[in-house]
Every structure is written in C-alpha cells, then in structure tokens.
Amino acid sequence: KAGVTQTPRYLIKTRGQQVTLSCSPISGHRSVSWYQQTPGQGLQFLFEYFSETQRNKGNFPGRFSGRQFSNSRSEMNVSTLELGDSALYLCASSAGRDEQYFGPGTRLTVT
Amino acid sequence: GQQVMQIPQYQHVQEGEDFTTYCNSSTTLSNIQWYKQRPGGHPVFLIQLVKSGEVKKQKRLTFQFGEAKKNSSLHITATQTTDVGTYFCAEMNTGFQKLVFGTGTRLLVSP
C-alpha cells in the first residue's frame, strides 16, 4: 500500500496570507490527524477527522481549520498567517487501531 | 494540562555504547507509544505499551512501562549510527486518535 502523502512538501508564504495543505491517507484509513512541529513547542495536536467529521481539536486559534472529504483525503487551512506559524505540518492516518502512520510533512515558512 | 517530559533532551554517544531515554508524566497514562524521527524525516511508530510494568523488546531496543503508569523508558543496547534521530514517547487518546507527545530526546551516535 502507498503511504501517507502530503502536498506541497515546501511552502513559503507572507504574513497575512492564507494557506491550504493537503493530506492523502493510506487506502482504507478513515481517521486523519494533523500535528504541528516546531523547535520550541515540539509536536502538538491540531485536529482529527473521521468520516468527514472533526472529532477532536487541539488548543490552536480559529485561524487553523480543516476538513475531510468522502474519500478520506483531508485539508487544513491557516488564515492570516503569522511568523509563528512557520513549522512542519504533519498528518497521520489510522485504521482505527492505535498506530498512526505519518506523512512526510509540509514545511511552511512564513516571512 | 497534561505534560509529558523526556530526559535527557539530547545525548551524544559513541557507537557501541548504550542509551536510555526516560518519559515522565504528571498524570497516569492509559498507554504509552514510542516513535522515532530521523533527521529530516517524520515520526515512525516503534511500539505501544498498555499494562503496568510491561516490558517489550525489539532486537536491541527495550521498552518499559512503569508500575504506576506515569513513566516509561526506552533503552538501546550497543548503539549503531542508524539509531540516530529523535525519540518521542506519546500517549494515545484512542477515542479520538489524538497523540500527546513528549518533548523528545535527540540521539547522536558517532562512529
């Protein structure tokens, strides 16, 4: 099976802009979780989707949002970008058991 | 909120030396997972422990879950250069596929 894919892999944006990141889970996986990784805050949970429904959301401002489509693909959106949003954004898919499979991530740089 | 601390933050060893990272939680953990992230890579699942006092081995890696389920450790015997990376412990909220990650221990192995 193909692994989790994320696009784009790298992105440079300017403060105030918005960005959309995409994640395609492993075939058959219905749960997609998103994480933000920064040197200062480490790996932090953003939100999780299952069957197009957001089941849980981390402690992030409303500028961070996401959605999941009927084919389980997921997108996350960050509006009004701030310098502090520069990070590696990781998505992970799961078949509903405990192990999560991570994608390679999208490296976002905000200037 | 819940905090999962790992010590040490960083360790540099010579190839062949042993290595241990410790994971400590302020609250009782329902489970503990361990992930490895190679430089420039993404987290990869290693193992999950669920029972109090549980010990599991994977070749040169030994994982332990404390009796009180508030701490865990990962021990690598006779490190190799392929062990380089950051090791994270994490608790999985199985209801919502949410991982709460520890702060991570970065391991550098010199040949």
Side-chain angles (χ1 to χ4, degrees), chain A residues 31-67:
Chain A
S31 170
V32 174
S33 302
W34 288 88
Y35 297 86
Q36 182 197 63
Q37 185 172 30
T38 60
Q41 299 299 316
L43 276 155
Q44 292 189 294
F45 173 81
L46 280 157
F47 27 65
E48 187 255 355
Y49 288 88
F50 181 85
S51 292
E52 303 179 65
T53 299
Q54 185 184 91
R55 297 198 295 184
N56 204 355
K57 182 173 168 61
N59 189 25
F60 280 82
R63 300 185 297 106
F64 291 81
S65 63
R67 59 177 175 169

Side-chain angles (χ1 to χ4, degrees), chain A residues 33 35 37 94 97-98 100, chain B residues 33 37 48 94 97 99:
Chain A
S33 302
Y35 297 86
Q37 185 172 30
S94 170
R97 295 182 214 98
D98 301 317
Q100 289 197 348
Chain B
Q33 295 187 358
Q37 184 174 21
Q48 175 171 276
T94 53
Q97 292 296 309
L99 284 167

Side-chain angles (χ1 to χ4, degrees), chain B:
Chain B
Q2 179 192 23
Q3 285 193 323
V4 183
M5 304 299 293
Q6 280 184 253
I7 53 171
Q9 280 188 302
Y10 171 81
Q11 188 153 9
H12 185 180
V13 301
Q14 294 292 316
E15 191 171 24
E17 293 182 336
D18 291 356
F19 160 77
T20 304
T21 173
Y22 300 90
C23 177
N24 298 296
S25 172
S26 57
T27 59
T28 302
L29 300 162
S30 58
N31 58 72
I32 194 80
Q33 295 187 358
W34 286 91
Y35 287 80
K36 176 184 177 182
Q37 184 174 21
R38 287 200 162 98
H42 55 276
V44 174
F45 176 83
L46 294 176
I47 209 161
Q48 175 171 276
L49 306 172
V50 178
K51 300 176 184 175
S52 168
E54 190 170 11
V55 179
K56 287 188 177 180
K57 293 189 176 184
Q58 288 180 349
K59 297 182 180 178
R60 296 178 293 105
L61 277 60
T62 302
F63 304 84
Q64 290 189 327
F65 201 6
E67 293 289 343
K69 300 182 75 172
K70 284 190 172 184
N71 56 72
S72 180
S73 65
L74 157 59
H75 179 83
I76 302 178
T77 303
T79 55
Q80 300 175 357
T81 54
T82 53
D83 295 325
V84 165
T86 300
Y87 293 84
F88 292 96
C89 63
E91 182 188 25
M92 167 63 82
N93 177 329
T94 53
F96 301 108
Q97 292 296 309
K98 170 186 175 180
L99 284 167
V100 177
F101 281 92
T103 48
T105 295
R106 183 179 166 208
L107 173 65
L108 182 61
V109 181
S110 294

